[in-house]
Amino acid sequence: MGNLQPLSPDLNEECRAFAEALRSLFAGLWPTVSVRRYSSRRHLSPGALSRYLSGQRIPSWQFVQDLLTDVGADRGTVATLETVELLRSLHAAALRTSASVGHAVQQLQFQLAEADRLSRRSAAHSDVLGDALLDKNHRIADLELRLNQLESDWARERARADEVAVYADDRADLLLEKQDLEKEVARLETELGEALRRRLAAEARCELLERQLIAAEQQAGEDPLRIEAAATADTADTAAPTATGRPRVLVVDDQPSNLVALEAVLAAADWDVLAVTSGPDALKALLQHNDIAVIVLDVQMPGMDGYATAAQIKGRAQTRDIPIIFVTAIGSDPENVLRGYDAGAVDFIVKPFDPWLLRAKVTALTGMYLNYRGTPRPAPANRPPHTTTDWLLPSPATPAPPHQPP
């Protein structure tokens, strides 16, 4: 393809597949538009564009969307939904398998964009359901008015026996239609409540991902043994002094090799790592320690798996406010992600995980823990066990502690 650099020989499978797809897409502009000409069009350096096309660097999703738009305009066509979803999956796989601070920032930006898209879709769905619910209620009111009129007419014409049967049939039909509409209203109200819950969860995830993104961006260019200093610098002046010292990060995985890897990733930070190998051991550790700020929990474990363990943690008043990060090897499809959020998780990381990404997420959560635990606020007595924690949401005027000691 002209003066393009060849693909880097040390690319992994995911990065190579994405780079080949990007080069194939750029071929739609070549040779009419050269690398230098297209880099000038998109305000990029020729070297950066060449590195994108050779797989040496992973571009942002915005660059891929711009390239799709330009190729479509040049060919006079529009990219299909299947093409866009294929490129999106290849881009996500390349980001996930390329471990560096810069790629961790890109992955967090991609997750933030997805969470914002889910929030906007939930808001639009809520509006549609609200309109449908209003229309059904208006129809019920109209039917009740007609029913009252019919009953009034029926009372006046009761003497006419030949017409009684007709009125009775009409009344029965109207009653059945009213009952059907009431069932439809109940269903729409349930769907509306679910849509609002998902919207609130998506908004809370946007807030959390923004905090994690700030922490990851502050890590860029820092010594790996001191990356936590930048993430917690903004909260050092406002956090209240603690009596128990460093917080703890509880790591739960039934595989010793995975525990060693997680401890190695999280060891050189401003917290203590407490590692256990099962769900019951995690529950015991939570009873013995009241300074646990974050739980990194494996999903697939024998006996009590990650979902059951999270349900037990969220069912206890003393531990339900501790944020849980699920680590899973079964993928991040919407069904598994929604099941994890329903179980009480605040985030999902897919194996093999990026160590920079995991450290950024734990850094943000421990920073919020240190910032809020010095100003406790009693939780409402009637709060359900599976609600979003107050200290994870932006409420600086009335912060709440992550959890109370047993």
Side-chain angles (χ1 to χ4, degrees), residues 83-298:
T83 301
V84 175
E85 291 302 323
L86 175 62
L87 286 173
R88 185 189 300 275
S89 62
L90 292 175
H91 181 259
L95 283 178
R96 185 171 62 252
T97 58
S98 179
S100 68
V101 176
H103 292 155
V105 171
Q106 289 186 13
Q107 189 168 356
L108 284 170
Q109 290 173 336
F110 180 77
Q111 292 179 357
L112 178 59
E114 287 295 311
D116 179 69
R117 182 169 64 90
L118 178 60
S119 175
R120 289 185 283 108
R121 288 180 59 187
S122 298
H125 191 200
S126 299
D127 293 339
V128 172
L129 290 174
D131 292 341
L133 181 61
L134 183 62
D135 178 67
K136 300 300 181 184
N137 283 324
H138 286 166
R139 291 185 61 186
I140 287 177
D142 180 65
L143 285 173
E144 288 178 343
L145 178 60
R146 291 171 58 191
L147 184 61
N148 291 335
Q149 292 174 348
L150 185 60
E151 289 179 343
S152 177
D153 294 340
W154 187 21
R156 289 196 305 266
E157 301 294 331
R158 191 174 302 171
R160 300 174 60 183
D162 56 337
E163 297 181 3
V164 169
V166 176
Y167 282 116
D169 292 340
D170 290 344
R171 181 176 182 276
D173 292 341
L174 290 174
L175 284 174
L176 288 175
E177 186 176 356
K178 177 185 176 183
Q179 292 172 359
D180 292 340
L181 285 173
E182 287 175 342
K183 292 179 181 179
E184 182 70 10
V185 166
R187 185 186 66 81
L188 289 173
E189 287 177 343
T190 301
E191 290 187 9
L192 178 60
E194 180 67 16
L196 292 175
R197 185 189 68 79
R198 291 185 180 180
R199 178 184 179 185
L200 290 175
E203 291 292 345
R205 179 161 170 78
C206 286
E207 175 72 14
L208 181 58
L209 285 170
E210 286 179 1
R211 292 173 184 257
Q212 294 174 359
L213 182 58
I214 292 172
E217 289 172 342
Q218 289 175 332
Q219 289 178 19
E222 292 288 335
D223 187 339
L225 297 179
R226 302 179 60 192
I227 61 175
E228 305 304 328
T232 57
D234 293 338
T235 62
D237 295 335
T238 60
T242 62
T244 57
R246 291 152 58 95
R248 296 178 190 268
V249 176
L250 178 60
V251 180
V252 189
D253 198 305
D254 64 303
Q255 297 295 328
S257 58
N258 292 342
L259 281 180
V260 171
L262 288 168
E263 289 183 277
V265 170
L266 301 174
D270 293 335
W271 54 72
D272 294 327
V273 178
L274 178 60
V276 297
T277 58
S278 68
D281 289 343
L283 299 178
K284 292 177 183 178
L286 289 169
L287 290 176
Q288 295 169 355
H289 303 281
N290 62 359
D291 56 353
I292 294 177
V294 185
I295 301 174
V296 180
L297 179 59
D298 184 30

Side-chain angles (χ1 to χ4, degrees), residues 216-401:
E217 289 172 342
Q218 289 175 332
Q219 289 178 19
E222 292 288 335
D223 187 339
L225 297 179
R226 302 179 60 192
I227 61 175
E228 305 304 328
T232 57
D234 293 338
T235 62
D237 295 335
T238 60
T242 62
T244 57
R246 291 152 58 95
R248 296 178 190 268
V249 176
L250 178 60
V251 180
V252 189
D253 198 305
D254 64 303
Q255 297 295 328
S257 58
N258 292 342
L259 281 180
V260 171
L262 288 168
E263 289 183 277
V265 170
L266 301 174
D270 293 335
W271 54 72
D272 294 327
V273 178
L274 178 60
V276 297
T277 58
S278 68
D281 289 343
L283 299 178
K284 292 177 183 178
L286 289 169
L287 290 176
Q288 295 169 355
H289 303 281
N290 62 359
D291 56 353
I292 294 177
V294 185
I295 301 174
V296 180
L297 179 59
D298 184 30
V299 172
Q300 292 179 300
M301 295 187 295
M304 181 182 290
D305 62 7
Y307 296 126
T309 304
Q312 290 289 331
I313 293 171
K314 295 302 178 181
R316 296 179 178 178
Q318 297 89 347
T319 59
R320 63 187 178 190
D321 290 335
I322 304 176
I324 299 174
I325 299 177
F326 271 140
V327 179
T328 177
I330 60 178
S332 58
D333 56 277
E335 181 179 355
N336 288 325
V337 172
L338 288 177
R339 184 180 177 189
Y341 290 150
D342 288 339
V346 299
D347 217 326
F348 244 84
I349 290 185
V350 180
K351 297 178 182 177
F353 59 84
D354 185 340
W356 292 95
L357 183 62
L358 177 60
R359 291 169 67 91
K361 293 177 181 293
V362 173
T363 296
L365 292 172
T366 53
M368 289 186 285
Y369 169 86
L370 290 173
N371 186 37
Y372 282 100
R373 75 174 179 176
T375 54
R377 181 185 67 182
N382 59 349
R383 186 177 62 178
H386 292 287
T387 56
T388 304
T389 56
D390 291 342
W391 69 281
L392 288 177
L393 293 175
S395 54
T398 56

